[in-house]
Amino acid sequence: MEPVSDILLSWFAREGRDLPWRRTRDPYRIWLSEVILQQTRVAQGLEYYLRFTERFPDIAALAAAPEDEVLKLWQGLGYYSRARNLHAAARQVMSRFGGVFPATYGEVRALPGVGDYTAAAVCSIVYDAPCAVLDGNVYRVLARLFDIGIPIDTTAGKRTFAELAQLQLDTSRPGLYNQAIMDFGALQCTPAQPRCGDCPLAGRCLALAAGTVGVRPVKQGRAKVRDRWFNYLHVTCGGQTLLHRRGGGDIWQGLYEFPLIETDKAADFAELAATAAFRELLGNGRWHLRRSVTMPGHQLSHQLLHAVFHRIECDAMPAFPSVETAALGGYALPRLIDRYLTKYQM
DNA sequence: AAAGCGGGGCC
DNA sequence: GGCCCAGCTTT
């Protein structure tokens, strides 16, 4: 099977952005771009990169400038400790390394303002060091590709993802690979509305298959997504369908759906048929279960819905207070219901 | 392990 | 208007 790294690299060759710091292997410029791009989008950082490289074409020029001038040039970018550390690091390179940017991971990592991410990025891109980067994009791509639910903002999560990222690294061209997976996260595997429809990894993406793309990566700090199990009874009699309108105090207020039996975990049909709700609805009539359909996980903002539809045909329509009998057209339906109907062309 | 650090984009 | 994004340093 084609390695994931090859798919990412061919995607990068097609779709990767042409950016000024990708046209150089000057360690100063790579380092400068990485510091600017910490917590900053490319669209915002680009003009600052151009401004800095014009005013300070090399690290000696940066080191020679007063700190105030560096801060002024940084104005508007935020996180001003980045600018102070940038300037201090430039001066260290002049005083401790004779003006030559250090070439080992340990030395680069020890510069002020350089953490694991920036050291790996600089050393892989400039020196072909086999160091996998781990930034927000990489967390997201790996969490989805392997459907990993371990929170990324915990010690165990960071260690797990660091090991996985290192395993995935294409060590024959680490710099190119690192840029590819980060651009892939920024452009294709985006936090919101990822482009799964034209994703070259769609067939290999475990989160896409599981319906968990929207909840990957998991972060501890965020409100927890609650799992709910919705068992719908799609009851028909002739051309008529049982519909129920949702009330307040929950999702989809005022929308219509099929009669619903919610359980606290996955339930098979026999378990449902034994519930009081089911017997109240269908206990008195004759009915036949035609088929059961399990939908992919349906992601809402704070809930992950696991829905199963049981299609039931009745000899006579049951009468039940909270249920209406209707044709489906004209009723506002949750997307989950609409997807079920579309998928099975009903 | 957790807090502090800006600014911008999106719904 | 509120939520999300995110790497490094400090505590």
Side-chain angles (χ1 to χ4, degrees), chain A residues 218-235:
Chain A
V218 172
K219 293 178 188 178
Q220 203 174 49
R222 258 198 301 197
K224 253 202 324 218
V225 174
R226 178 162 64 117
D227 282 278
R228 297 176 76 176
W229 285 266
F230 281 9
N231 308 276
Y232 282 114
L233 303 180
H234 180 186
V235 180

Side-chain angles (χ1 to χ4, degrees), chain A residues 245-254:
Chain A
R245 189 178 196 189
R246 288 189 71 90
D250 202 355
I251 55 170
W252 299 334
Q253 182 173 344

Side-chain angles (χ1 to χ4, degrees), chain A residues 142-153:
Chain A
L142 295 179
R144 286 173 175 168
L145 190 55
F146 297 98
D147 194 27
I148 298 170
I150 304 169
I152 62 172
D153 54 353

